[in-house]
Amino acid sequence: MPHYRSIFISDLHLGSKGCQAEALCVFMKEHTSEQLYLVGDIIDGWRLRKKWYWPQSHTNVVRRILTAAKRGTDVTYIIGNHDEFLRGFMKFRLMFGDIAVKNRAVHQGRDGKRYLVVHGDMFDGLMRTDRKWIMHLGDSAYNLLLSLNTKLNAVRRRLGLDYWSLSKTLKSKTKRAMNFIQSFEGHVADYCRRKGFDGAICGHIHVAEQRDIDGIHYRNTGDWVESCTALVEHFDGRWEILHFAPHAAVIRDRIEYGLAEPTPTGLVPAE
């Protein structure tokens, strides 16, 4: 019996060093569903164009997804801005095995609501053609922050401390960033209202959230770079945002497979 009716995850950014691939593999092993929506920015084409980076852990994520589809999970891949290169193949009715690839989808919730499932870059003013250079510049700065964050958390892991996101903390304390998030959420709600949707499920801004915006049910999946979050729909119609602890997940998985042994400060390689 699957754990959930539906799971929505976005912004994996496979192909970038910031991707929490090992933790995601553990999450997908421990959380199953009838439907799985990959809500954009699954593969980071922007990063891969600049420098190729694809470790085994990223291949393992792809295998997990394909295995889920093979075992009966209905998997839908929604294209985002970082994997927008796939949009050029949409006219060929693109499929990855049993996985359907779309620009958007409509999810009929157990709660009776109709949800627009879309990555969300269409609601971001910086994605306009004349402003896209700003987005690419910001992406480079963001990846620098993630690089620093990775080194910082390597030290924290050795000290037995929990994962901590530098970029997420800066975002939450910056008024301009908060204004952008609120503007983005408002645009999503306005669009759903005009098009007759009861709500929206999206990603893009790396901020997991679910709330009511003037009668529109706004739900954001978060990301697997900073937050390690997923949106899940229970069989009774309840919605929940799951916050996954990447350090604890990887340690638990390595211990299970005999690759490490528990210690007071984390893990050491097994003999």
Side-chain angles (χ1 to χ4, degrees):
M1 181 67 178
H3 294 86
Y4 304 99
R5 183 171 184 257
S6 305
I7 294 178
F8 301 79
I9 55 177
S10 75
D11 298 271
L12 312 187
H13 290 274
L14 295 170
S16 72
K17 293 184 178 181
C19 175
Q20 301 276 0
E22 289 187 78
L24 181 57
C25 281
V26 180
F27 175 85
M28 295 191 67
K29 181 174 69 174
E30 297 179 350
H31 301 75
T32 57
S33 60
E34 289 184 344
Q35 300 174 85
L36 172 63
Y37 288 89
L38 307 171
V39 194
D41 283 3
I42 307 305
I43 300 171
D44 196 330
W46 291 10
R47 287 285 98 201
L48 291 174
R49 278 200 301 266
K50 294 178 180 179
K51 183 177 182 181
W52 183 259
Y53 177 79
W54 195 274
Q56 181 62 43
S57 59
H58 293 208
T59 299
N60 293 342
V61 171
V62 175
R63 286 177 175 172
R64 286 279 179 193
I65 294 170
L66 292 173
T67 298
K70 185 177 180 180
R71 291 178 177 175
T73 300
D74 184 6
V75 182
T76 302
Y77 187 125
I78 306 296
I79 299 173
N81 53 297
H82 281 260
D83 42 20
E84 62 187 354
F85 63 91
L86 293 174
R87 288 180 174 141
F89 300 95
M90 289 299 294
K91 60 184 177 182
F92 302 111
R93 297 183 180 179
L94 186 61
M95 297 279 292
F96 290 139
D98 297 321
I99 302 173
V101 182
K102 302 179 179 181
N103 270 318
R104 61 178 67 188
V106 178
H107 176 73
Q108 186 69 44
R110 181 58 61 86
D111 56 11
K113 310 294 185 184
R114 289 178 68 249
Y115 293 91
L116 170 67
V117 185
V118 65
H119 179 61
D121 52 307
M122 62 186 287
F123 303 109
D124 186 347
L126 291 177
M127 290 307 300
R128 284 173 27 189
T129 303
D130 59 335
R131 294 184 178 181
K132 220 167 185 179
W133 67 272
I134 302 177
M135 181 64 78
H136 281 279
L137 182 62
D139 180 65
S140 297
Y142 178 67
N143 277 279
L144 177 59
L145 269 180
L146 290 179
S147 178
L148 294 173
N149 200 60
T150 300
K151 294 179 174 62
L152 174 63
N153 276 287
V155 176
R156 290 178 62 87
R157 185 166 57 246
R158 291 179 180 277
L159 296 175
L161 299 175
D162 292 335
Y163 178 83
W164 178 74
S165 175
L166 171 62
S167 54
K168 184 180 178 182
T169 301
L170 291 174
K171 188 186 297 182
S172 67
K173 294 183 180 298
T174 304
K175 184 176 180 180
R176 188 169 183 178
M178 295 304 297
N179 289 338
F180 167 77
I181 293 169
Q182 291 173 3
S183 175
F184 174 86
E185 295 173 346
H187 287 318
V188 174
D190 289 343
Y191 181 85
C192 288
R193 192 174 296 108
R194 293 197 309 271
K195 297 298 182 179
F197 293 103
D198 299 302
I201 299 169
C202 58
H204 186 59
I205 59 174
H206 292 209
V207 179
E209 179 68 273
Q210 57 171 341
R211 64 192 184 94
D212 183 278
I213 304 177
D214 297 327
I216 298 297
H217 302 278
Y218 170 84
R219 309 186 193 279
N220 196 297
T221 60
D223 67 278
W224 280 85
V225 175
E226 304 170 69
S227 308
C228 292
T229 54
L231 174 69
V232 299
E233 179 190 22
H234 293 268
F235 284 100
D236 61 5
R238 290 182 297 114
W239 293 87
E240 181 183 7
I241 293 175
L242 301 182
H243 295 264
F244 208 59
H247 286 177
V250 173
I251 289 172
R252 184 169 66 250
D253 196 53
R254 290 180 180 176
I255 291 173
E256 179 181 342
Y257 283 97
L259 301 177
E261 297 174 351
T263 72
T265 58
L267 73 161
V268 296
E271 294 292 337

